[in-house]
């Protein structure tokens, strides 16, 4: 899934997110916007009907700027999100390995901000 042999599609994106510890998926905004949360905290979302396929991921602000410059027009400030902390990725135009790396980065950013209680609950998961 996370190799550079082919383009990642939305179902592969979903499978990769759902394989992460403590992840749940839901449609809190509407029937087309799929949101992924770890322990109730959002780290990824995608509009299922958006063409081309796009996903929003959290990102360290400095890294976000570098990614936007490096992948101009393919990684942009987060659509309908805080543009300092979120990027929108056109996943069909990026190497799947990079998409997986950025999913991991988003997930890890959220996990790193857990309260002590939430971290204990997270650590207790199988």
């Amino acid at each position: 899934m996370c190799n550079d042999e082919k383009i990642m599609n939305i179902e592969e994106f979903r499978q990769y997110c759902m394989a992460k510890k403590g992840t749940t998926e839901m449609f809190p905004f509407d029937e087309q916007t799929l949101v992924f949360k770890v322990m109730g905290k959002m780290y990824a979302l995608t509009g299922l009907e958006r063409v081309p396929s796009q996903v929003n991921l959290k990102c360290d602000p400095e890294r976000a700027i570098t990614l936007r410059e490096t992948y101009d027009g393919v990684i942009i400030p987060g659509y309908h999100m805080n543009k300092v902390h979120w990027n929108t990725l056109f996943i069909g135009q990026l190497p799947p390995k990079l998409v997986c790396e950025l999913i991991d980065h988003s997930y890890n950013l959220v996990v790193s901000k857990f309260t002590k209680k939430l971290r204990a609950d997270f650590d207790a998961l199988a």
Side-chain angles (χ1 to χ4, degrees):
M1 184 181 325
C2 289
N3 57 48
D4 290 336
E5 293 177 21
K6 65 182 189 97
I7 295 168
M8 180 182 278
N9 63 40
I10 288 296
E11 183 54 32
E12 291 166 330
F13 172 82
R14 180 189 167 276
Q15 289 172 0
Y16 190 79
C17 290
M18 289 303 297
K20 299 194 134 325
K21 181 178 173 179
T23 293
T24 55
E25 62 182 338
M26 59 195 59
F27 292 90
F29 305 118
D30 56 39
E31 295 173 0
Q32 290 81 37
T33 307
L34 179 58
V35 174
F36 298 91
K37 294 182 177 186
V38 55
M39 305 301 289
K41 306 290 184 183
M42 184 168 55
Y43 72 91
L45 66 144
T46 183
L48 296 176
E49 295 184 354
R50 298 201 53 87
V51 177
S53 296
Q54 301 168 36
V55 300
N56 286 3
L57 298 170
K58 272 190 97 96
C59 192
D60 171 76
E62 288 181 22
R63 186 173 187 194
I65 292 167
T66 301
L67 286 165
R68 293 170 195 167
E69 290 171 353
T70 304
Y71 299 95
D72 188 33
V74 181
I75 297 179
I76 61 174
Y79 180 72
H80 283 304
M81 305 297 286
N82 179 321
K83 299 189 181 347
V84 173
H85 298 281
W86 289 84
N87 279 335
T88 295
L89 288 66
F90 292 83
I91 62 171
Q93 298 175 47
L94 292 167
K97 201 175 225 179
L98 175 64
V99 176
C100 290
E101 178 188 321
L102 295 175
I103 294 168
D104 293 345
H105 176 67
S106 180
Y107 177 90
N108 291 332
L109 275 175
V110 172
V111 170
S112 74
K113 303 289 186 193
F114 282 172
T115 63
K116 195 181 283 188
K117 163 92 171 83
L118 201 53
R119 174 55 116 178
D121 292 345
F122 176 76
D123 290 343
L125 294 176

